[in-house]
């Protein structure tokens, strides 16, 4: 067998980090795939040993192993697409898997040609057609991958950087795309011309796609990855361009000094970026994962110190690349030593990949779990709304009968009359609860701010007073002392302000004995470090509602503002409540840019003071013209 | 028919919930002194309306067949029923639902549950209100909904 027809030396497994990683990385790390990786590792060992003795077997194996790797990448990425929910992301992975499939077919054909003829096929061959299919599929897949947008300044810098590299590569390649087509020497046939010029064209398209993604990509981890992949694609472009020039000039490919460095650099960069993506690609999700409080292992791994996260994973790769690049410089007598290192490096690569597969599989699982959780959450919201609506009609029927009974209360025996009062009270609480649940859900759902307007406190207070349920331990039995500074105005939403006041007052009435005093006061205060004012001072309206009832034990104060929480003392008493009133007060106050708190010594008779601060309308209207505020609010 | 000095107004209730119809007709007769007629769905509501020409119609939104909104549009689109006061009664409690209710021409929009006294008072109020007053209120509603671009 003609030894010179084969690539005489064992090439470093640069394809290995590139191809199986991209697909396999997403898989669940079950034993089957672990075994598969070990087989690839053993294959590498075999290749290394064989390379010292038989060139033919070595070549077969070194061509068969990329084919196997690509097959695994295909199965892997296809499996990923099966696991993903329907959408763009799944479509992207379908296309990527198709790309790997066509590359796999190409490699298989090439390996078969070697087995049958014993010669390394020189392009163009049938294999080239399939390799060329790889480009459009991969590009389509890449374009479908979801990517968040980049800030304007960063995008500008990127365009300049990437544009310069792209121009250089394009300049070299454009010539070679056209050149074979214009070539008048009949050294190659027409179809071959097309295939030969299609390679740089594919490279250009790939580079352009990566450039596009680079421009669209967010700041952070994805950027360097895409930049490297882009430079890699440009390098491959140069290699293919150089190959075309050499082939056309009928120079022997084996002795080409230009093609190899470009090919190696291109593959290396692509491989490195795939590797980088594998290790760091999912890190932006870290914060989310932490919130989800799941997958402790993943979080722990991501929390490792920088040298463990950045240095160690790259060591094996660096070793393999270094050995591969320097081996040709060594005399043949040293090959044995290098092979041992290569085997070691290969196994480290396999182990690192396996670790990453396990890690990424967890991330994918967690992502899917999160999507499912969100769907369930939406379903739950829908359920709450519809059940809430369904409850309202029977509730109204019941209320109607109770009101009729109440209407005729004088004609009823006293005992029955008391029972009717109790039923009415409970029914009112039920109505409140049904309304509060929907209100809470609406606030939870709607994160945007309320429309702001000038709310005159005096007016809001009068409305709130009118809305107090007269049955909640009649307000007429309390001594109400109101001391509102005149002309106080709040920057908020009137309905919400009134709702807060109603809730606080109704609480004060509920939790204080008859004939006790309830004090309501409001004044303007200056607070430090307001968001609205750059001078650091902010004008706020402070409202206090004080009762002389039971008071709240200090240790129970933190519980007050939680939803559906009722204090132990209330549960024991016959005071009716849903545990949503103060939660609503807090949410509404904070949404309007204020805060609410409670002061109480927990001593019966001294009662408690509920206080809240809301932004004053004066401060707002003085600082900026109304028109501007309106605009800011509407979001023009 | 009426023994009191006040005229007896006829109110048509359209709701698919039998229990509520029974309770409300009883309560409105008792508390508001109305003559109450009930319909179980929109079609029946339309038929009864043209039979008895009630002074006010109380309509539920969610009904099988003809919905409350559709029924309301039918009333508003006919010159005979155009000026009859219409009260919307619904379990839907979103702001946008209220808007939809007002937009099709409801005089008052109530979210369930509403107390019978409140409903009776509201019926008295809309009946007492003349058609001119009603038109003025529509105009006001339209003006409030149209953004002011003059500035």
């Amino acid at each position: 067998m003609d030894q010179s027809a084969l690539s005489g030396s064992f090439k470093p497994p640069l394809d290995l980090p590139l191809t199986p990683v991209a697909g396999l990385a997403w898989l669940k790390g079950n034993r089957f795939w672990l075994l598969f990786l070990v087989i690839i590792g053993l294959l590498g060992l075999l290749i290394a040993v064989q390379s010292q003795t038989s060139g033919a077997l070595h070549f077969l194996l070194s061509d068969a192993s990329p084919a196997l790797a690509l097959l695994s990448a295909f199965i892997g990425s296809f499996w990923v697409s099966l696991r993903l929910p329907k959408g763009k992301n799944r479509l992207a992975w379908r296309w990527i898997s198709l790309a790997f499939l066509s590359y796999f077919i190409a490699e298989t054909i090439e390996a078969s040609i070697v087995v049958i003829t014993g010669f390394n096929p020189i392009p163009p061959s049938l294999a080239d057609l399939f390799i060329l299919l790889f480009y459009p599929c991969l590009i389509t897949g890449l374009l479908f991958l979801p990517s968040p947008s980049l800030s304007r300044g960063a995008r500008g810098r990127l365009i300049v950087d990437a544009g310069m590299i792209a121009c250089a590569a394009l300049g070299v390649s454009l010539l070679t795309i056209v050149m074979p087509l214009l070539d008048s020497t009949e050294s190659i046939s027409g179809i071959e011309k097309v295939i030969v010029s299609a390679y740089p064209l594919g490279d250009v398209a790939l580079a352009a796609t990566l450039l596009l993604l680079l421009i669209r990509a967010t700041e952070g981890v994805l950027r360097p990855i895409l930049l490297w992949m882009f430079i890699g694609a440009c390098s491959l472009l140069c290699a293919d361009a150089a190959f075309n020039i050499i082939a056309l000039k009928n120079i022997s490919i084996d002795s080409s000094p230009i093609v190899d460095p470009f090919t190696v650099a291109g593959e290396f960069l692509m491989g490195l970026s795939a590797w980088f993506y594998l290790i760091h690609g999912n890190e932006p999700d870290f914060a989310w994962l932490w919130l989800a409080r799941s997958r402790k292992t993943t979080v722990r791994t991501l929390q490792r110190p920088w040298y463990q996260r950045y240095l160690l994973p790259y060591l094996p790769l660096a070793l393999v690349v270094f050995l591969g690049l320097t081996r040709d410089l060594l005399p043949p007598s040293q090959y044995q030593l290098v092979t041992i290192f290569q085997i070691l490096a290969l196994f480290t690569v396999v182990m690192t990949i396996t670790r990453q597969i396990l890690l990424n599989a967890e991330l994918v699982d967690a992502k899917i779990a999160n999507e499912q959780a969100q769907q369930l959450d939406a379903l739950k919201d829908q359920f709450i709304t519809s059940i809430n609506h369904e409850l309202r009609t029977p509730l109204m029927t019941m209320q109607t009968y109770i009101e009729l009974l109440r209407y005729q209360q004088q004609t009823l025996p006293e005992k029955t009359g008391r029972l009717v009062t109790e039923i009415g009270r409970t029914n009112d609480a039920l109505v409140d609860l049904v309304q509060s649940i929907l209100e809470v859900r609406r606030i939870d759902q709607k994160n945007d701010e309320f429309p702001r307007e000038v709310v005159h406190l005096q007016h809001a207070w009068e409305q709130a007073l009118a809305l107090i349920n007269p049955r909640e331990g009649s307000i007429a039995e309390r001594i109400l002392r109101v001391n509102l500074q005149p002309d106080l105005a709040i920057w908020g939403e009137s309905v919400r302000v009134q709702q807060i006041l109603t809730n606080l007052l109704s609480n004060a009435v509920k939790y204080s004995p008859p004939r006790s005093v309830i004090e309501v006061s409001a004044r303007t205060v200056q607070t430090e470090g307001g968001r609205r004012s750059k001078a650091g001072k902010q004008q706020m309206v402070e409202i206090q509602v004080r009762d002389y009832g039971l008071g709240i034990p200090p240790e129970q104060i933190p519980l007050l503002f939680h939803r559906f929480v009722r204090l132990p003392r209330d549960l024991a008493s016959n005071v009716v409540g849903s545990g949503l009133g103060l939660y609503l007060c807090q949410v509404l106050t904070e949404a309007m840019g204020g805060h609410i708190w409670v002061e109480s010594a927990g001593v019966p008779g001294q009662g408690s003071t509920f206080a809240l601060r809301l932004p004053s309308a004066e401060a707002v209207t003085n600082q900026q013209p109304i028109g501007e505020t309106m605009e800011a609010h509407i979001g023009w | 028919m009426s023994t009191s000095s006040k005229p007896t107004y006829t109110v048509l209730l359209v709701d698919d919930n039998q229990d509520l119809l029974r309770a409300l007709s009883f309560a409105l007769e008792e508390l508001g002194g109305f003559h109450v007629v009930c319909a179980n769905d929109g079609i029946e509501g339309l038929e009864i309306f043209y039979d008895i020409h009630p002074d006010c119609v109380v309509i539920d939104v969610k009904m099988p067949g003809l919905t409350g909104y559709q029924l309301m549009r039918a009333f508003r689109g006919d010159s005979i029923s155009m000026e009859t006061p219409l009260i919307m009664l619904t379990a839907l409690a979103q702001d946008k639902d209220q808007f939809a209710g007002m937009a099709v021409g409801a005089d008052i929009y109530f979210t369930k549950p509403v107390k019978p006294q409140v409903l009776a008072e509201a019926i008295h109020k809309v009946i007492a209100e003349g058609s001119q007053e009603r038109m003025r209120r529509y105009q006001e509603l339209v003006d409030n909904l149209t953004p002011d671009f003059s500035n």
Side-chain angles (χ1 to χ4, degrees), chain A residues 385 389-390 392-397 399-401 403-404 407-408 428 431 435 438 441-442 446 469 471, chain B residues 17 19-20 22-24 26-27 30-31 62 89 91-95 111-117 119:
Chain A
T385 313
H389 288 160
E390 293 306 319
R392 280 164 188 265
T393 307
L395 203 56
M396 184 171 168
T397 313
Q399 197 183 38
T400 307
Y401 284 122
E403 290 301 317
L404 277 169
Y407 183 66
Q408 299 167 338
D428 288 343
V431 172
Q435 271 157 359
L438 209 63
R441 200 190 65 80
R442 207 180 306 173
K446 216 201 285 180
N469 195 332
R471 246 166 282 133
Chain B
N17 189 304
D19 292 335
L20 183 65
R22 218 175 307 128
L24 264 187
F26 190 41
E30 192 83 357
L31 301 174
K62 237 171 96 182
L89 193 62
L92 305 171
Q94 316 280 351
D95 300 341
T111 303
K112 287 177 186 175
V114 56
K115 290 188 176 168
Q117 305 94 301
L119 186 61

Side-chain angles (χ1 to χ4, degrees), chain A residues 558-604:
Chain A
L559 293 173
L560 270 182
F561 294 101
H562 290 173
R563 64 167 143 178
F564 296 117
V565 167
R566 301 205 59 216
L567 299 185
R569 69 137 205 243
D570 301 335
L571 294 172
S573 75
N574 63 347
V575 178
V576 188
S578 62
L580 282 171
L582 284 174
Y583 170 73
L584 269 176
C585 283
Q586 190 189 34
V587 173
L588 296 174
T589 311
E590 283 171 5
M592 284 188 279
H595 64 283
I596 187 168
W597 71 96
V598 58
E599 287 160 11
S600 180
V603 181

Side-chain angles (χ1 to χ4, degrees), chain B residues 96-114:
Chain B
K96 63 171 195 295
D97 299 321
Q98 184 152 2
F99 173 76
M102 297 308 264
V104 293
D107 289 84
I108 298 180
Y109 187 98
F110 279 123
T111 303
K112 287 177 186 175
V114 56

Side-chain angles (χ1 to χ4, degrees), chain B residues 44-63:
Chain B
E44 200 185 332
L46 271 176
E47 282 169 5
I48 294 177
F49 182 91
Y50 292 112
D51 267 1
I52 62 167
H53 295 284
D55 299 290
C56 178
V57 189
V58 180
I59 303 168
D60 180 39
V61 171
K62 237 171 96 182
M63 286 185 292

Side-chain angles (χ1 to χ4, degrees), chain A residues 1-34:
Chain A
M1 194 169 283
D2 185 6
Q3 201 77 11
S4 66
L6 309 167
S7 54
S9 58
F10 170 59
K11 281 269 168 74
L14 282 174
D15 281 347
L16 289 184
L18 172 67
T19 41
V21 159
L24 273 174
W26 295 82
L27 294 177
K28 204 164 185 67
N30 62 26
R31 292 187 193 288
F32 169 71
W33 288 103
L34 238 145

